[in-house]
């Protein structure tokens, strides 16, 4: 009696091992295919521009403040020349800082955003996003956008603060010097 029980137990154990091996073999490609779908969504969404958008806000504010300060305080020739210099400084700042934030975003997209998407979306949902269908999945993705943008934005800010803040301060100082020179008779 113990031999048939032992045989059945060994057979069950072998079957379990075979099933587990088959599951593991199919689970790995599923993870790879899901990752490919996440990568495709990220390419379509293009979140690496979030860092650049974050830079544009304070730079545009600084230029706008300079324009407002010069208005009525400087003669048109000095005002216009100062604004040309200020805009050129802002453009140079953006040209220098954009690659820094883009590199940070690219890194954080892979380490923070891609895993978040892989965790919260199924392969079918990712396919629906890629196809840009009108569906509840699109709404789910759009509701996650603020969280992902915030997560990425906070990560980019933390990752680039040591490099960007001094550069932004330098830009503000250059603008201040140019403004003083423009309004001084």
């Amino acid at each position: 009696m113990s031999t048939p029980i032992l045989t059945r137990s060994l057979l069950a154990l072998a079957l379990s091992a075979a099933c587990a091996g088959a599951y593991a073999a199919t689970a790995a490609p599923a993870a790879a295919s899901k990752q490919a779908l996440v990568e495709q969504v990220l390419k379509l969404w293009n979140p690496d521009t979030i860092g650049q958008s974050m830079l544009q806000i304070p730079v545009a504010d600084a230029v706008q403040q300079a324009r407002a300060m010069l208005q009525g305080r400087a003669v048109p020739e000095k005002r216009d020349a100062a604004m040309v210099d200020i805009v050129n400084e802002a453009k140079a700042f953006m040209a220098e800082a954009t690659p820094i934030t883009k590199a940070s975003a690219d890194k954080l997209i892979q380490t923070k955003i891609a895993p978040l998407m892989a965790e919260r979306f199924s392969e079918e949902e990712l396919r629906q996003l890629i196809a840009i269908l009108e569906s509840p999945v699109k709404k789910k993705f759009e509701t996650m956008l603020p969280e992902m943008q915030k997560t990425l934005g906070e990560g980019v800010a933390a990752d680039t603060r040591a490099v960007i803040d001094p550069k932004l301060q330098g830009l503000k100082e250059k603008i201040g010097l140019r403004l003083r020179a423009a309004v001084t008779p």
Side-chain angles (χ1 to χ4, degrees), residues 82-133:
M83 283 310 300
V84 167
D85 289 346
I86 290 167
V87 167
N88 286 337
E89 288 290 341
K91 286 179 181 177
F93 170 81
M94 288 299 295
E96 183 180 351
T98 295
I100 296 166
T101 59
K102 184 175 180 341
S104 174
D106 288 343
K107 175 180 73 176
L108 292 168
I109 286 166
Q110 293 306 312
T111 60
K112 303 259 185 205
I113 302 306
L116 184 64
M117 290 182 70
E119 173 189 325
R120 297 204 186 161
F121 288 97
S122 70
E123 287 190 35
E124 180 55 33
E125 289 172 329
L126 291 167
R127 284 187 197 92
Q128 290 178 28
L129 279 173
I130 292 165
I132 311 175
L133 298 173

Side-chain angles (χ1 to χ4, degrees), residues 54-68 172 175:
M54 289 174 52
L55 286 176
Q56 287 172 340
I57 293 168
V59 170
D61 286 348
V63 170
Q64 184 59 31
Q65 288 173 4
R67 183 174 281 118
K172 289 178 181 180
I175 289 172

